[in-house]
Amino acid sequence: MTTAKNPDFDSFKGLFNEKEFVYRHLGSDEAHQAVMLSAIGYNDMASFIDDTVPEPVRLHKELDLPLAMSEHAALAKLRAMADNITVNKSYIGQGYAPVRMPAVIQRNVLENPGWYTAYTPYQAEISQGRLEALLNFQQVCIDLTGLEFAGASLLDEATAAAEAMAMSKRVSKSKSNTFFVDERVYPQTLDVIQTRAKYFGWDVVVGDFETAKSGDYFGALFQYVGKEGDVQDLTEVIAEVKKNKTYVSVASDIMSLVLLKSPAAMGADVALGSTQRFGIPMGFGGPHAAYFTFLDKAKRSAPGRIIGVSKDAQGNTALRMALQTREQHIRREKANSNICTSQVLLANLAGMYAVYHGPEGIKRIATRIHAIATAFADVIKNESASELRVVHDQFFDTVLVDCGSEQLATQIFENADNVGYNLWRVGDTKISVAFSETSDAADFNVLTQLFVNKAHDLPTEARVSLSSDHLRTDDILTHPVFNSHHTEHEMLRYLKSLEDKDLAMNRSMIPLGSCTMKLNATSEMLPITWPEFANVHPFAPRDQVTGYIEMIDSLQDQLKAITGFDDISMQPNSGASGEYAGLLAIRRYHESLGENDRNICLIPKSAHGTNPATAMMMGMQVVVVNTDDNGNVDIDDLTAKCEQHSKNLGALMITYPSTHGVFEEGIRKICDLIHSHGGQVYMDGANMNAQVAIMQPAEVGADVLHMNLHKTFCIPHGGGGPGMGPIGMKSHLAPFKSSHVISPVFNAPKDCSAVSAAPYGSASILPISWMYIAMMGRDGLLEATEVALLNANYIAHQLKDDYPVLYTGKNGKVAHECIIDIRPLKDDTGISESDIAKRLMDYGFHAPTMSFPVAGTLMIEPTESESKEELDRFIDALKAIKAEAMKVKSGENGWSREDNPLVNAPHTASMITAEDWSHPYSRDEAAFPLPYVRAHKFWPTVARVDDAYGDKNLMCSCPGIENYM
């Protein structure tokens, strides 16, 4: 354990040690920090910070936050908030349902750092476990929807529907500018669609099937099952609208598709929805993985990530992220979407739910849900003397009951609340009852008592009331993976086998620049599985969730104190969603002033990669601003472009510190310049780990900022999500934050439509950030930032003689990350940044961010959580790799450019143990290049993956089991 240099055992303050967590979070103690400071030429932290952070941005005051709390004290405080949450039995429905997460999945995936601390699988060779899990998820989605391709998850059902609208415009051959939305869609879905459509310049028509058939639309969205629970065959209406070249998307309940005819069978081009029902708690709205399936011909236009099957250098089956040239940081404003963070951890949970239950188990659950709903409807129908009426004959899980009078509806609704059941009120006289996986005989007894004043028992026989015309006849989940792991020990071993294929933070540091892979402490993670935070519906009555709102308000206050902003919106459920919400507030602000034509967005070359795509989605024109030789914004170029576009200047999107890893001294001047031309400053918070307690973005001139809670504030990456991207706003932008059509957000105007499906985004993971801030406290947050800056500068200093540091700021210092330039080494030796990235796997490390933001470079961010020992091991690895590259140059021991341990990396165990070894380097040199590696060896399970093969032979479903033999 890392401890303070001089422990205080002479006072009760010292013995209680409320600051103990700070020293568990920080990787180095004062003694190690002193050694690192000395190595880069400093005697103390204060002088180092003075030389690193420009004086004009320094805060020079303490944050208005309490001091650090111990882990048990913070948990106790959060427990008190949780005690003010009432977890009623939820029969609300509306896209969210209670579930049972299998305990073996909860313990071994959700609560396992081997899964939740992994990074997005850009380095496929050390990501095969989660790639296989994601492929399982894609296979589930393909099977249930019947379409040919599936993505590896989107953020939520509402944003997936908005992405379907945008995709429809890209691929449709219709000249129309209008999108049709079925009046049966969930209100929150329509809310998000209308937000997106406005700034793309598209019209939205909401109507019935006849309206759909008679209009001219580039795309159409239908709901299957409808918001009232009705099941309708869409075959005929889809065929009719397709005659007008309309591209058709169907939002489908994933559990209903186990029984119902698939969207593909009805003619859909796209199917989408939430996989929350596959074992993922409601969590007051998220996080949940949305699914998105589509036809083969649309694969290059689809949003989000796709996992594909390829081969490695040894000819073995290997998985990878396919078609990466579609990624938003590569295509910038031409990207299909700005989506960066997906919901990988949640997709893995949903996929594993299907693996665990298998086709028989899934069908049993779906049939049980429907049969209980049918039995309930039968009770209502059999009360012939009652004024109650079941509205829809065909339903899956939701029974809509017309109570005949407002008085009776109110009485039933209130009585249900009194006995701990939440129903859904539909108009004055109607109540819907949405059954779920957790519904049982006791619930049936209570619900029938509530409606007909007599408790009924479940009948002996389970009846399926759906018409045979609605039922699917094809088999699902036939792949062996869904038919092999149904005992506890088989499932446990399968999960462990996948975990062992991945390199995550529980094995070694992941030094990814711009990604802030830091400690996600166990105490921060514990509350997310507490029933009070996990099992609440996002549309539960507000008097039941006072503790939840208290926690969210408290986190907002913490973030206001840290950033200096006047208001916070917690709705964006990813960093990219936060970018969108920030620009949305700016556009709404300009519109309120009658300046609708302020649509120019200035974006420096040093900005974060998703920024241009986000600006495009907001209907803005991107104008790129040059950077100078030091990586700073070129003030002359910025000034010229401000003057050129003054009348139409809407915003500047700037990342601070920049993606080049430097603090720009001119940030105040930059903000003032934008404001002088009537624009607003959006600051990207990707690099906030260099800011906290040292500067405040609002104080230096930013008008709005998104905060990646999955970076600076410790929500784990989970292999590529979940994330949260709340935005901070100055007072003039605060009136334009997004509200919610069903559950209005406090202090948000009703006419400000939503950016996410739930009012507070992925609320159930917010306790992680609350715990982090509470346990670090005012002074601990400052120490974290100081150590993050120190660690980055220590690495830059130790590597500079072997690898040039591309950009530096004040006094030759970097911020929280540094970019090392591999191009000179490649020119000299033929060894590329990719070769170094793959060779690092042999040393037991994940590579830094490769070729972003500058091609031919590696961007390193160590964070404050890594120890000096770990930093030194990483430095030693890169130095050893440089020495290996020089051997290639000299041809020492016969090492050629075509055959050396770098171009052949990574080396698998099967490669090392093969009978035939014809390389000029030894097996030991390949597998154990440094003494440390021998004792802590991590073996990649596949050799270097062939990206080109995977794209030319794109396959995103599970290959036959023989491919893994």
Side-chain angles (χ1 to χ4, degrees), residues 2 37 116 199 231 238 268 279 345 469 479 491 500 510 516 562 619-620 624 638 657 667 675 694 699 838-839 846 869:
T2 303
L37 285 165
Y116 68 69
Y199 293 98
V231 174
I238 289 176
L345 184 63
D469 293 340
H479 190 274
M491 189 68 188
D500 286 346
I510 299 182
T516 318
I562 289 167
M620 303 186 82
V624 177
L638 178 65
I667 185 64
H675 292 147
I694 281 183
E699 197 269 336
K838 304 307 180 187
R839 182 59 170 155
H846 194 292
E869 291 87 350

Side-chain angles (χ1 to χ4, degrees), residues 813-872:
K813 298 294 180 291
V814 298
H816 61 301
E817 62 193 12
C818 64
I819 298 175
I820 58 174
D821 195 349
I822 310 301
R823 291 170 296 185
L825 184 68
K826 184 177 181 180
D827 292 341
D828 200 24
T829 67
I831 298 302
S832 70
E833 69 280 4
S834 180
D835 295 329
I836 294 173
K838 304 307 180 187
R839 182 59 170 155
L840 274 167
M841 299 175 193
D842 290 332
Y843 285 79
F845 284 106
H846 194 292
T849 302
M850 189 176 73
S851 292
F852 175 80
V854 180
T857 65
L858 295 172
M859 183 162 59
I860 305 167
E861 181 178 359
T863 83
E864 71 275 12
S865 295
E866 299 302 338
S867 67
K868 180 179 179 298
E869 291 87 350
E870 186 75 354
L871 300 183
D872 286 338

Side-chain angles (χ1 to χ4, degrees), residues 375-571:
F376 175 76
D378 287 345
V379 169
I380 302 295
K381 291 175 182 177
N382 291 335
E383 291 290 320
S384 55
S386 168
E387 56 186 310
L388 301 176
R389 179 176 67 89
V390 175
V391 177
H392 301 296
D393 290 332
Q394 295 292 293
F395 51 83
F396 168 63
D397 65 340
T398 300
V399 180
L400 181 63
V401 180
D402 190 332
C403 301
S405 71
E406 183 176 354
Q407 181 181 1
L408 181 56
T410 300
Q411 179 185 334
I412 293 172
F413 189 81
E414 292 178 351
N415 287 345
D417 185 17
N418 290 337
V419 295
Y421 285 73
N422 287 343
L423 308 179
W424 189 242
R425 191 78 178 261
V426 183
D428 293 335
T429 66
K430 298 173 185 173
I431 293 175
S432 74
V433 186
F435 292 84
S436 71
E437 178 184 7
T438 66
S439 299
D440 58 18
D443 288 350
F444 187 82
N445 195 277
V446 172
L447 290 166
T448 51
Q449 173 75 47
L450 286 167
F451 277 84
V452 301
N453 294 316
K454 178 184 177 183
H456 286 65
D457 293 328
L458 269 176
T460 303
E461 194 169 312
R463 189 171 78 86
V464 172
S465 60
L466 284 161
S467 162
S468 59
D469 293 340
H470 291 309
L471 297 175
R472 73 186 307 148
T473 57
D474 54 323
D475 293 328
I476 58 169
L477 305 180
T478 58
H479 190 274
V481 75
F482 304 112
N483 296 276
S484 305
H485 309 293
H486 299 155
T487 66
E488 178 89 7
H489 69 278
E490 286 171 333
M491 189 68 188
L492 182 67
R493 289 168 184 167
Y494 179 58
L495 293 173
K496 181 61 177 172
S497 72
L498 296 188
E499 180 194 348
D500 286 346
K501 294 178 181 180
D502 285 10
L503 188 67
M505 291 275 286
N506 62 337
R507 291 184 184 270
S508 63
M509 72 182 290
I510 299 182
L512 286 150
S514 203
C515 290
T516 318
M517 299 291 291
K518 64 203 290 183
L519 172 68
N520 315 117
T522 306
S523 288
E524 295 158 10
M525 301 297 295
L526 289 174
I528 68 170
T529 54
W530 291 355
E532 296 85 357
F533 290 126
N535 297 336
V536 175
H537 194 290
F539 308 151
R542 282 302 171 94
D543 62 356
Q544 294 177 13
V545 293
T546 53
Y548 230 127
I549 300 301
E550 181 186 358
M551 182 272 293
I552 293 170
D553 287 346
S554 179
L555 178 57
Q556 287 178 318
D557 288 342
Q558 290 172 334
L559 295 175
K560 281 191 252 185
I562 289 167
T563 62
F565 285 105
D566 302 304
D567 201 0
I568 304 286
S569 170
M570 302 302 295
Q571 191 172 112

Side-chain angles (χ1 to χ4, degrees), residues 220-300:
L221 173 72
F222 295 97
Q223 189 83 42
Y224 183 64
V225 178
K227 65 184 179 183
E228 291 186 353
D230 60 309
V231 174
Q232 298 197 39
D233 192 325
L234 303 174
T235 306
E236 193 260 340
V237 68
I238 289 176
E240 284 298 311
V241 300
K242 278 191 159 187
K243 290 179 181 178
N244 287 332
K245 301 178 181 178
T246 303
Y247 206 71
V248 177
S249 302
V250 175
S252 306
D253 177 338
I254 192 78
M255 187 63 79
S256 76
L257 293 182
V258 176
L259 300 184
L260 294 177
K261 182 162 55 175
S262 73
M266 295 185 292
D269 298 302
V270 170
L272 61 97
S274 172
T275 59
Q276 183 263 316
R277 297 193 79 156
F278 274 28
I280 303 171
M282 292 182 290
F284 202 41
H288 308 131
Y291 71 87
F292 196 92
T293 59
F294 44 93
L295 297 171
D296 173 86
K297 62 185 179 183
K299 59 180 175 281
R300 294 190 180 273

Side-chain angles (χ1 to χ4, degrees), residues 52-227:
T52 303
V53 185
E55 177 60 32
V57 307
R58 294 286 299 278
L59 185 59
H60 292 306
K61 67 177 182 180
E62 295 177 330
L63 294 179
D64 184 18
L65 287 173
L67 295 175
M69 299 176 69
S70 66
E71 294 177 57
H72 68 269
L75 285 167
K77 186 170 183 179
L78 197 59
R79 176 74 261 167
M81 297 182 200
D83 287 343
N84 284 327
I85 301 171
T86 301
V87 186
N88 271 9
K89 292 200 170 186
S90 182
Y91 280 78
I92 292 173
Q94 298 301 299
Y96 302 90
V99 297
R100 292 193 178 101
M101 180 185 291
V104 66
I105 296 176
Q106 176 174 323
R107 175 64 60 89
N108 294 286
V109 180
L110 178 60
E111 297 175 353
N112 182 351
W115 287 88
Y116 68 69
T117 69
Y119 181 60
T120 306
Y122 284 115
Q123 296 294 339
E125 295 83 358
I126 50 175
S127 308
Q128 291 295 299
R130 88 196 81 116
L131 285 167
E132 183 174 332
L134 286 173
L135 201 68
N136 293 345
F137 171 81
Q138 291 180 177
Q139 185 69 62
V140 171
C141 301
I142 289 169
D143 276 16
L144 291 176
T145 65
L147 289 159
E148 297 164 318
F149 274 79
S153 80
L154 297 179
L155 298 175
D156 58 39
E157 180 166 330
T159 54
E163 294 290 348
M165 173 177 64
M167 178 175 164
S168 297
K169 187 63 175 173
R170 287 193 294 272
V171 302
S172 173
K173 295 179 180 178
S174 169
K175 305 282 188 188
S176 171
N177 204 46
T178 303
F179 186 72
F180 173 81
V181 178
D182 183 357
E183 63 186 4
R184 299 159 55 255
V185 305
Y186 295 125
Q188 67 270 23
T189 300
L190 177 60
D191 205 20
V192 173
I193 284 174
Q194 289 174 327
T195 304
R196 290 275 185 98
K198 176 178 179 179
Y199 293 98
F200 276 128
W202 303 329
D203 298 319
V204 174
V205 169
V206 181
D208 59 14
F209 289 179
E210 291 306 313
T211 307
K213 294 176 189 176
S214 60
D216 182 17
Y217 312 107
F218 68 81
L221 173 72
F222 295 97
Q223 189 83 42
Y224 183 64
V225 178
K227 65 184 179 183

